[in-house]
Amino acid sequence: MSRSPHRPRRTLEPRNRWWLLSLPLLLFLALPLAALILRSSPRQVWLNVQQPAVYQAIVVSLRTSVAATGVTVLLGTPAAYLMARRSFRGKRALDTLLDLPTVLPPAVSGVALLMAFGRRGIAGGALEAAGVDIAFTQVAVVLAQTFVASPFYLRSAILGFAAVEPELAQSAALDGAGEWAVFRHVILPLSRSALLSGAMMTWARALGEFGATIIFAGNFPGRTQTMPLAIYLGFELELDVALTLSVILLALSFLVLIGVRGLLGREGE
């Protein structure tokens, strides 16, 4: 009696196996985003955008997030340059401080800002004496967004500045260029992609800020109500409005990520 030849077991190719293992998480991430898009028709989005409350929330969000990004770039660039190009005592502690808002719960950030700049805050008395009221104003929205979103720019800028070869700066200095000229004509152009991508990520994070804003600035339509706050209110009162603003934020976030990846990809070529 002859034996049938041994047939090896069919196994999945390694590439297919990893696809199967990755599929649950990929579906988990994609399904909510797809559901959000499918539940919102372009016509409904357009009609909702024309509502005064929705339009005001979009305007407040764009105005404050751009302001927060500008403040971050203006004040964060010197700090990032210091961290990237200088060695000093306490640098590790300062580096931890710069990253802390990314892991701090947003609600805690809002309470901290209120305790610092509110009427009963540490700086509140001095501000009130000077006739400055920050809490529950649009300035508070900008401060909340800056506090939460600035680490995205700082980290990207630090990496960009640190990646510039010291020899290039030294060569420019030997040719007679001062420190400001070296920064402006050598380091800044070579770090441009990192700075732009960091600014874009900061803007996107500021645009989506919720927790710190609602505690420190409140939720006043036309004044401090940003798109995330309007989504929160619309979810309780009018779901279509919440869906419209969610789709807008999703589209803007997608465009920012595409832009950042394009900048980083161009830098790597």
Side-chain angles (χ1 to χ4, degrees), residues 56-78:
Q56 288 174 353
I58 294 173
V59 171
V60 170
S61 284
L62 293 177
R63 181 184 300 156
T64 54
S65 61
V66 169
T69 304
V71 170
T72 298
V73 172
L74 182 64
L75 302 181
T77 301

Side-chain angles (χ1 to χ4, degrees), residues 73-97:
V73 172
L74 182 64
L75 302 181
T77 301
Y81 184 81
L82 174 70
M83 295 298 297
R85 313 291 294 191
R86 296 288 185 271
S87 296
F88 53 89
R89 184 178 298 178
K91 182 176 180 179
R92 183 171 297 180
L94 182 56
D95 190 54
T96 302
L97 175 65

Side-chain angles (χ1 to χ4, degrees), residues 20-71:
L20 287 175
L21 293 173
S22 304
L23 194 58
L25 180 61
L26 295 176
L27 288 175
F28 173 72
L29 295 175
L31 188 59
L33 301 179
L36 186 64
I37 296 171
L38 292 173
R39 285 291 302 271
S40 306
S41 66
R43 180 177 179 276
Q44 192 64 41
V45 169
W46 175 247
L47 291 175
N48 287 329
V49 166
Q50 298 179 58
Q51 293 187 30
V54 175
Y55 177 76
Q56 288 174 353
I58 294 173
V59 171
V60 170
S61 284
L62 293 177
R63 181 184 300 156
T64 54
S65 61
V66 169
T69 304
V71 170

Side-chain angles (χ1 to χ4, degrees), residues 33-195:
L33 301 179
L36 186 64
I37 296 171
L38 292 173
R39 285 291 302 271
S40 306
S41 66
R43 180 177 179 276
Q44 192 64 41
V45 169
W46 175 247
L47 291 175
N48 287 329
V49 166
Q50 298 179 58
Q51 293 187 30
V54 175
Y55 177 76
Q56 288 174 353
I58 294 173
V59 171
V60 170
S61 284
L62 293 177
R63 181 184 300 156
T64 54
S65 61
V66 169
T69 304
V71 170
T72 298
V73 172
L74 182 64
L75 302 181
T77 301
Y81 184 81
L82 174 70
M83 295 298 297
R85 313 291 294 191
R86 296 288 185 271
S87 296
F88 53 89
R89 184 178 298 178
K91 182 176 180 179
R92 183 171 297 180
L94 182 56
D95 190 54
T96 302
L97 175 65
L98 295 178
D99 280 336
L100 189 58
T102 59
V103 297
L104 200 64
V108 176
S109 301
V111 173
L113 288 167
L114 195 59
M115 293 301 99
F117 302 106
R119 289 182 179 178
R120 298 183 180 179
I122 293 175
L127 291 171
E128 190 174 7
V132 178
D133 190 12
I134 292 179
F136 307 107
T137 66
Q138 208 163 102
V139 174
V141 179
V142 175
L143 292 181
Q145 293 174 343
T146 302
F147 186 85
V148 173
S150 58
F152 289 87
Y153 175 78
L154 288 168
R155 185 53 51 198
S156 182
I158 289 171
L159 293 175
F161 289 146
V164 178
E165 295 293 339
E167 291 79 7
L168 296 175
Q170 291 171 4
S171 298
L174 289 174
D175 289 338
E179 187 173 3
W180 169 247
V182 171
F183 173 77
R184 182 180 176 184
H185 296 292
V186 178
I187 296 176
L188 196 60
L190 293 175
S191 309
R192 183 172 51 206
S193 295
L195 299 181

Side-chain angles (χ1 to χ4, degrees), residues 53-54 56-58 60-61 64 106 136-138 140-142 144-145 205-238 241-243 245-246 249:
V54 175
Q56 288 174 353
I58 294 173
V60 170
S61 284
T64 54
F136 307 107
T137 66
Q138 208 163 102
V141 179
V142 175
Q145 293 174 343
R205 180 64 185 88
L207 200 64
E209 161 51 30
F210 174 82
T213 304
I214 198 170
I215 291 177
F216 184 43
N219 189 8
F220 303 104
R223 190 172 66 180
T224 65
Q225 187 179 83
T226 59
M227 284 193 277
L229 300 185
I231 289 172
Y232 174 75
L233 187 64
F235 186 75
E236 295 182 338
L237 302 177
E238 194 172 352
V241 170
L243 287 172
L245 292 172
S246 298
L249 285 173

